[in-house]
């Protein structure tokens, strides 16, 4: 039935919808769309009372929110009942399908329905916001040593076997491969119960075995939106927390994998892998799938569940495909609103900044309550080379052994050893199908393959070229890149056959007959050993693919007064655990480890380091942890030189340029310093609401509709938010802002200095101050336009304490004429 026309005055507007509702089509699942809806009323995390019969449930810290309490249980059931009643009054049963009720972080639901139904729902009383669901995407060892964890950080917490003890990191990702040694409990001290974590462990549908083992403390999957949208194929995807991709296993191992796990491929050990916090617990919330990525409504459900379960840290190596078009600001979509409530509940959130670099305004992580992580190239690089018969050396990439006894072998091009010219329709030159090539002509030679678009699309791989060469009895192989394609990324792949990828493909020494057929192969070459890494002091560098700022405040890509990314962490060529059935990287099919690049790999470095900080300072807020990471980061590389960023030159060749805060945020993470930052910049949920209210052209009603919080009359400016950076995208004349610092160490006296590009004058007062332990002091910062250049100016405020603490915050501004 639709609705009873004997309704109260509150329901009078519903009568006006009746003519619309009777004309609505019956929904066939797989058709229609998924919508995220918020309605009036506070969610559990923000409800401070006021509804008759329901006690307040609002909490500021995760451990204070007891989801099993009678007040939380009854109020959350009350919200869900309201969701169901609203839908039942408006629509006939069977014409829609509610997928999730969101009750704890936001008050609303995800529903599968027609566009006409969504339009009617948006006009119903009590409905604040309706947005069509969006897809999300992945934002895809040696680094613990590079970051100084074994010698400088883990010993302060009792050693690697205590690093991250009883801290729970939630991974909203593609699941996990629980049998991997990085997550094994066979050779570790047993993990005891952790009653404050309330998450569940799903069973493997095939084996009926539990996914959890103490190290893995929770494992759930979320796919209702994917199923309703018709995107989920049960023949390909796992309807369980099992990782069929590799991405989730990799990120979990980076943050919290066991220490000292040998990384072995093809009989060679590439070192030992460890997570940043090897004793931390892992809670899995699978939302990403092989074929389509994921949906925001599934992600929001997973985030809500993770906070309800009691995670301390959330790692999100996912992001929306683009900013929301339904809200006036990027900060107010349901994804970011849920994360704001997660932060209110005491959960630190690390999110990958995005892989749209090196181009500006390509970030997919926007909001100041999130730690947006950029990706760095660390000091370990893999190089190889091939030596031609004339002595010429061509550099390339290939984690492979050398050709036997370092001898030279004849080079033979795949195009010259085809079994039949008719096989050209199979694109045989990329050496993916050995049955198309003449084994007798290849045997004992180095096979020269072409680099086709199939390598970019993922249907061809270096690994498969290696297998082709091996099956044909070749002494080795070369993949020669003559043309590059948009999206081309050359990463070395581990091989058990001598092999290399090069960008110089000339071979004029092949003898041919009158018809152009090869008659003999005179060119010779040898491939060097590329298994050993080379360590560079010019590290870290900002990786080419890492998304760049400035941050944007709306879908028209207007600059925001928030610095993004926040921080830089290793994210290029990162060795970590992999699932043998993972399909995300063709070069690692069937392998137990993979070396992968992406801001997806950078974010779990920060999540793991945040776990170490949380372990040492359990009462710190998420903003305090983020502040500690940012203010202690460095803008210098290992050689003491200013950080550089990989960039394209005019000819689209890779070059290095001086990096800016739009590349690295506050700088490269320094875990040791972050454990003892001296001063922190703290921000509360109310501060973030004031920030939202201060964003120009944002309707306060929209803020209330999404956050259930109201704006007061004094809005201020976005740059007034108490975070450890200052950004003014449209500076006219002089602008003054303030920052409040809190001393989390012993009493200390700080000298405050500034540095800024000459176009902007930067002043901070007082020039010196003493801050007693636990006390807070205010700093006044003034920026004045000296000259207008049409580009951003960069600087910093540095506070040096007499006890050795150094606190640095970046300053970014663009000057305009009055």
């Amino acid at each position: 039935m639709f609705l009873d026309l004997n309704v109260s005055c509150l329901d009078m507007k519903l009568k006006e919808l009746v003519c619309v509702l009777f004309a609505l089509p019956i929904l066939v699942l797989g058709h229609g769309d998924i919508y995220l809806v918020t309605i009036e009323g506070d969610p559990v995390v923000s409800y401070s009372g006021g509804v008759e019969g329901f006690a307040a449930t609002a909490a500021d810290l995760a451990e204070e929110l007891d989801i099993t309490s009678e007040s939380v249980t009854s109020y959350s059931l009350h919200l869900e009942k309201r969701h169901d009643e609203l839908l039942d009054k408006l629509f006939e049963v069977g014409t829609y399908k509610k997928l999730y009720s969101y009750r704890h972080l936001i008050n609303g639901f995800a529903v599968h329905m027609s566009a006409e139904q969504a339009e009617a729902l948006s006009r119903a009383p009590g409905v604040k916001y309706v947005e069509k669901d969006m897809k999300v995407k992945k934002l895809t060892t040696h680094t613990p040593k590079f970051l100084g964890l074994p010698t400088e950080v883990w010993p302060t917490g009792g050693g690697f076997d205590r690093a991250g003890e009883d801290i729970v990191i939630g991974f909203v990702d593609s699941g996990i491969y629980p049998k991997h040694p990085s997550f094994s409990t066979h050779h570790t001290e047993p993990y005891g119960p952790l009653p404050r974590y309330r998450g569940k462990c799903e069973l493997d549908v095939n084996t009926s075995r539990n996914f959890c083992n103490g190290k893995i403390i929770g494992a759930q999957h979320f796919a209702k939106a994917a199923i309703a949208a018709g995107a989920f194929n049960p023949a390909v995807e796992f309807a369980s927390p099992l990782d069929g991709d590799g991405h989730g296993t990799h990120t979990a191992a980076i943050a919290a994998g066991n220490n000292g796990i040998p990384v072995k491929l093809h009989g060679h050990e590439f070192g030992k892998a460890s997570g940043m916090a090897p004793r931390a617990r892992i809670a899995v919330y699978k939302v990403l799938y092989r074929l389509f990525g994921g949906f925001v409504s599934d992600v929001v459900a997973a985030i809500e569940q993770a906070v309800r379960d009691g995670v301390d840290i959330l790692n999100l190596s996912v992001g929306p495909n683009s900013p929301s078009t339904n809200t006036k600001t990027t900060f107010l979509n349901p994804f970011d609103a849920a994360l704001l409530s997660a932060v209110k509940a005491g959960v630190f959130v690390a999110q990958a900044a995005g892989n749209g670099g090196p181009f500006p305004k390509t970030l997919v992580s926007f909001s100041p309550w999130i730690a947006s992580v950029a990706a760095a190239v660390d000091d370990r690089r893999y190089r190889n080379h091939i030596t031609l018969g004339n002595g010429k050396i061509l550099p390339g990439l290939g984690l492979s052994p050398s050709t036997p006894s370092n001898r030279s072998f004849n080079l033979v091009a795949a195009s010259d050893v085809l079994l039949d010219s008719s096989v050209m329709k199979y694109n045989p030159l990329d050496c993916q199908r050995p049955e198309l090539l003449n084994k007798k002509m290849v045997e004992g030679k180095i096979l020269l393959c072409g680099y086709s678009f199939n390598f970019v699309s993922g249907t061809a791989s270096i690994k498969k070229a290696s297998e082709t060469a091996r099956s044909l009895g070749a002494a080795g192989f070369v993949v020669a890149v003559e043309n590059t394609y948009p999206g081309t990324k050359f990463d070395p792949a581990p091989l058990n056959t001598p092999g290399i990828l090069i960008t110089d493909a000339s071979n004029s020494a092949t003898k041919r007959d009158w018809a152009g057929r090869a008659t003999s192969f005179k060119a010779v070459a040898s491939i060097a050993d590329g298994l050993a890494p080379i360590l560079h002091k010019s590290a870290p560098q900002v990786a080419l693919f890492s998304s760049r700022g400035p941050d944007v405040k709306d879908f028209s890509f207007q600059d925001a007064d928030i610095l993004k990314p926040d921080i830089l962490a290793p994210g290029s060529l990162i060795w970590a655990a992999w699932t043998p059935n993972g399909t995300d990287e063709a070069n690692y099919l069937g392998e137990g480890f993979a070396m992968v690049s992406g801001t997806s790999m950078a974010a779990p470095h920060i999540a793991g380091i945040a776990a170490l900080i949380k372990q040492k300072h359990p009462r710190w807020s998420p903003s305090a942890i983020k502040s500690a990471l940012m203010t202690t980061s460095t803008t210098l590389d290992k050689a003491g030189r200013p950080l550089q960023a990989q960039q394209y030159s005019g000819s689209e060749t890779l070059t290095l340029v001086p990096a800016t805060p739009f590349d690295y945020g506050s700088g490269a993470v320094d875990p040791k310093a972050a454990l003892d930052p001296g001063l922190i910049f703290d921000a509360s949920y109310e501060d973030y609401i004031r920030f939202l209210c201060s964003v120009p052209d944002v309707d306060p009603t929209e803020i209330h509709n999404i956050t259930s919080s109201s704006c007061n009359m004094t809005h201020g400016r976005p740059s007034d938010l108490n975070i450890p950076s200052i950004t003014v995208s449209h500076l006219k004349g002089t602008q003054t802002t303030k920052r409040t610092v809190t001393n989390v160490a012993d009493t200390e006296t700080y000298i405050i200095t500034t540095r800024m590009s000459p176009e902007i004058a930067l002043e901070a007062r007082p020039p010196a101050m003493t801050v007693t332990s636990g006390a807070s002091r205010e700093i006044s910062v003034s920026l004045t336009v000296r000259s207008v250049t049409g580009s951003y100016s960069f600087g910093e405020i540095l506070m040096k304490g007499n006890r050795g603490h150094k606190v640095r915050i970046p300053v970014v501004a663009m000057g305009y004429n009055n």
Side-chain angles (χ1 to χ4, degrees):
M1 293 184 62
F2 275 131
L3 52 98
D4 182 357
L5 295 182
N6 296 315
V7 291
S8 66
C9 292
L10 180 64
D11 293 326
M12 284 299 291
K13 286 187 180 180
L14 293 176
K15 293 180 181 180
E16 300 170 12
L17 297 176
V18 171
C19 60
V20 177
L21 299 178
F22 276 114
L24 293 178
I26 294 178
L27 180 70
V28 179
L29 291 184
H31 297 76
D33 288 297
I34 300 160
Y35 294 88
L36 287 92
V37 183
T38 59
I39 68 171
E40 288 180 353
D42 290 327
V44 168
V45 76
S46 302
Y47 174 60
S48 54
V51 179
E52 186 176 352
F54 297 97
T57 58
D60 289 325
L61 292 172
E63 53 260 43
E64 294 175 1
L65 179 62
D66 180 7
I67 66 165
T68 63
S69 69
E70 183 179 348
S71 59
V72 169
T73 301
S74 61
Y75 183 67
S76 62
L77 289 174
H78 161 72
L79 294 181
E80 184 168 8
K81 183 179 178 182
R82 285 189 59 207
H83 302 164
D84 295 337
E85 287 175 346
L86 173 65
L87 289 167
D88 288 344
K89 281 183 179 180
L90 289 174
F91 309 116
E92 186 174 0
V93 174
T95 65
Y96 68 91
K97 181 178 177 61
K98 190 189 75 170
L99 305 176
Y100 298 106
S101 271
Y102 305 125
R103 299 160 292 171
H104 288 76
L105 303 184
I106 58 175
N107 178 20
F109 50 85
V111 61
H112 186 234
M113 58 173 41
S114 68
E116 295 88 348
Q117 287 174 308
E119 174 64 25
L121 181 60
S122 69
R123 300 202 305 267
V127 174
K128 300 193 299 186
Y129 176 87
V130 177
E131 180 178 13
K132 188 175 176 180
D133 198 4
M134 297 186 297
K135 282 190 174 182
V136 295
K137 59 187 177 183
K138 295 169 290 189
L139 303 169
T140 61
T141 191
H142 166 82
T143 47
K145 185 176 180 182
F146 174 70
L147 294 171
L149 295 176
T151 58
E152 298 177 345
V153 176
W154 291 343
T156 66
F160 74 84
D161 53 350
R162 288 289 178 267
E165 184 80 65
D166 288 344
I167 302 298
V168 181
I169 307 177
F171 295 89
V172 179
D173 214 296
S174 67
I176 198 165
Y177 182 64
K179 297 178 182 178
H180 199 282
S182 288
F183 314 122
S184 170
T185 59
H186 293 317
H187 303 293
T188 64
E189 185 177 327
Y191 286 87
L194 196 62
R196 68 176 180 81
Y197 179 78
R198 299 168 291 267
K200 67 178 181 179
C201 285
E202 295 182 16
L203 298 178
D204 188 311
V205 292
N206 295 318
T207 66
S208 297
R209 292 182 61 182
N210 197 310
F211 272 85
C212 297
N213 61 0
K215 171 72 172 176
I216 302 172
I217 198 172
Q220 303 171 59
H221 83 288
F222 300 79
K224 289 181 180 178
I227 293 169
F232 189 92
N233 182 350
V236 177
E237 310 289 358
F238 297 117
S240 76
L242 183 63
D243 186 4
D245 180 283
H247 191 268
T249 299
H250 202 266
T251 56
I254 291 171
N258 290 330
N259 180 60
I261 305 302
V263 179
K264 290 183 178 179
L265 281 87
H266 310 306
H268 180 80
E269 184 174 313
F270 288 90
K272 290 182 168 56
S274 174
M276 301 296 100
R279 188 66 180 174
R281 311 289 185 107
I282 294 169
V284 177
Y285 301 87
K286 179 179 173 180
V287 298
L288 293 177
Y289 297 86
R290 286 171 164 172
L291 298 182
F292 56 87
F295 289 83
V296 168
S297 50
D298 286 330
V299 174
V300 172
I303 292 169
E304 173 155 303
Q305 188 64 52
V307 175
R308 287 181 63 195
D309 291 345
V311 302
D312 300 294
I313 313 288
L314 260 182
N315 181 79
L316 293 169
S317 289
V318 301
N321 288 354
S322 64
S324 170
T325 57
N326 283 35
T327 57
K328 289 184 179 178
T329 176
T330 52
F331 313 125
L332 277 178
N333 62 78
F335 190 86
D336 283 36
L339 293 176
L340 175 57
S341 289
V343 169
K344 175 179 170 59
V347 178
F348 175 89
V349 180
Q351 184 182 19
N355 293 341
F359 308 106
K361 297 187 180 183
T362 49
L363 296 155
V364 297
S365 180
F366 312 106
S367 297
W369 45 88
I370 301 166
S372 307
V373 189
V377 178
D378 67 18
D379 61 345
R380 185 201 60 221
R381 321 280 165 80
Y382 288 97
R383 295 285 186 267
N384 204 349
H385 65 268
I386 182 171
T387 304
L388 302 181
N390 61 5
K392 185 177 181 181
I393 295 176
L394 303 179
L397 294 172
L399 273 70
S400 80
S402 63
T403 43
S405 304
N406 289 317
R407 288 169 44 214
S408 293
F409 294 82
N410 290 108
L411 275 169
V412 52
S415 58
D416 290 327
V417 294
L418 301 179
L419 285 174
D420 190 303
S421 60
S422 65
V423 303
M424 286 302 294
K425 63 183 178 182
Y426 299 113
N427 201 7
L429 305 187
D430 55 16
C431 300
Q432 301 297 292
R433 300 180 64 170
E435 68 272 17
L436 305 180
L437 305 178
N438 189 324
K439 182 173 182 178
K440 289 183 179 179
M441 298 181 73
V442 174
E443 205 164 15
K445 301 179 180 68
I446 294 176
L447 179 62
L448 182 61
C449 309
Y451 187 91
S452 68
F453 183 74
N454 294 336
F455 283 92
V456 180
S457 65
T459 56
S461 68
I462 301 295
K463 179 179 181 178
K464 184 60 181 174
S466 171
E467 292 170 352
T468 295
R470 189 177 185 86
S471 69
L472 295 174
F477 74 98
V478 177
V479 174
V481 182
E482 296 183 81
N483 299 296
T484 57
Y485 302 88
T488 302
K489 180 164 65 92
F490 300 129
D491 283 349
L495 307 166
N496 58 4
T497 300
I500 191 169
L501 182 146
I502 62 171
T503 54
D504 185 340
S506 58
N507 176 18
S508 59
T510 298
K511 301 299 183 184
R512 302 180 183 277
D513 63 14
W514 62 272
R517 293 183 294 249
T519 57
S520 64
F521 305 101
K522 299 296 185 182
V524 297
S526 63
I527 299 172
D529 187 335
L531 293 172
I534 302 168
L535 300 182
H536 288 252
K537 285 190 174 181
S538 59
Q541 297 169 355
V542 181
L544 183 71
F545 57 79
S546 186
S547 288
R548 311 299 211 258
D551 194 12
V552 295
K553 65 182 180 182
D554 54 33
F555 194 67
S556 63
F557 287 82
Q558 293 187 66
D559 293 6
D561 285 347
I562 290 293
L563 179 62
K564 290 286 177 176
D566 290 301
I567 198 160
L568 183 70
S572 179
L573 304 180
I574 303 299
W575 280 113
W578 199 248
T579 179
N581 52 16
T583 58
D584 190 40
E585 291 284 342
N587 287 322
Y588 297 98
L589 282 172
E591 306 293 355
F593 291 90
M595 184 172 61
V596 187
S597 298
T599 52
S600 282
M601 285 66 245
H605 280 89
I606 294 301
I609 296 166
L612 300 177
I613 299 173
K614 181 77 172 178
Q615 180 187 16
K616 184 175 180 180
H617 306 284
R619 302 298 297 177
W620 279 14
S621 69
S623 61
I625 295 173
K626 181 182 172 185
S627 172
L629 289 163
M630 291 178 65
T631 61
T632 59
S633 62
T634 179
T635 57
L636 302 177
D637 66 18
K638 292 294 183 180
R641 297 179 296 241
L643 291 176
Q644 294 182 298
Q646 295 181 346
Q647 184 58 263
Y648 284 130
S649 66
S651 59
E652 292 211 356
T653 56
L654 185 67
T655 187
L656 291 173
V657 299
T660 76
F662 288 149
D663 303 317
Y664 55 64
S666 58
V669 64
D670 181 342
K672 179 185 178 183
L675 289 174
D676 182 21
L679 303 175
I680 59 167
F681 296 74
D682 215 346
S684 66
Y685 176 81
E686 290 72 22
D687 292 327
Y688 292 128
I689 296 298
R690 279 191 287 270
F691 158 78
L692 290 170
C693 294
S694 71
V695 176
D697 303 321
V698 175
D699 185 353
T701 303
E702 188 174 39
I703 295 172
H704 182 265
N705 285 347
I706 295 172
T707 67
S708 300
S709 298
S710 300
C711 297
N712 57 31
M713 297 303 293
T714 56
H715 292 170
R717 296 188 179 98
S719 56
D720 293 334
L721 179 62
N722 197 53
I723 56 176
S725 63
I726 296 173
T727 303
V728 183
S729 61
H730 207 92
L731 177 64
K732 289 185 176 182
T734 297
Q735 183 171 317
T736 299
T737 186
K738 291 179 170 58
R739 289 293 185 270
T740 299
V741 295
T742 301
N743 189 354
V744 292
D746 294 332
T747 298
E748 194 163 2
T749 298
Y750 286 86
I751 304 297
I752 304 175
T753 58
T754 64
R755 180 186 61 81
M756 193 74 188
S757 302
E759 306 85 28
I760 305 289
L762 174 63
E763 183 181 19
R765 291 183 177 277
M769 63 182 183
T770 298
V771 192
T772 58
S773 181
S776 299
R777 290 288 302 271
E778 191 174 84
I779 302 166
S780 177
V781 180
S782 296
L783 297 96
T784 303
V785 178
R786 284 177 170 165
S787 61
V788 176
T789 63
S791 59
Y792 276 96
S793 300
F794 304 101
E796 64 182 16
I797 299 171
L798 181 63
M799 295 181 275
K800 288 186 177 181
N802 64 333
R803 291 181 175 271
H805 290 108
K806 293 181 181 179
V807 177
R808 184 183 51 81
I809 68 169
V811 179
V812 178
M814 185 187 293
Y816 288 82
N817 291 317
N818 277 317

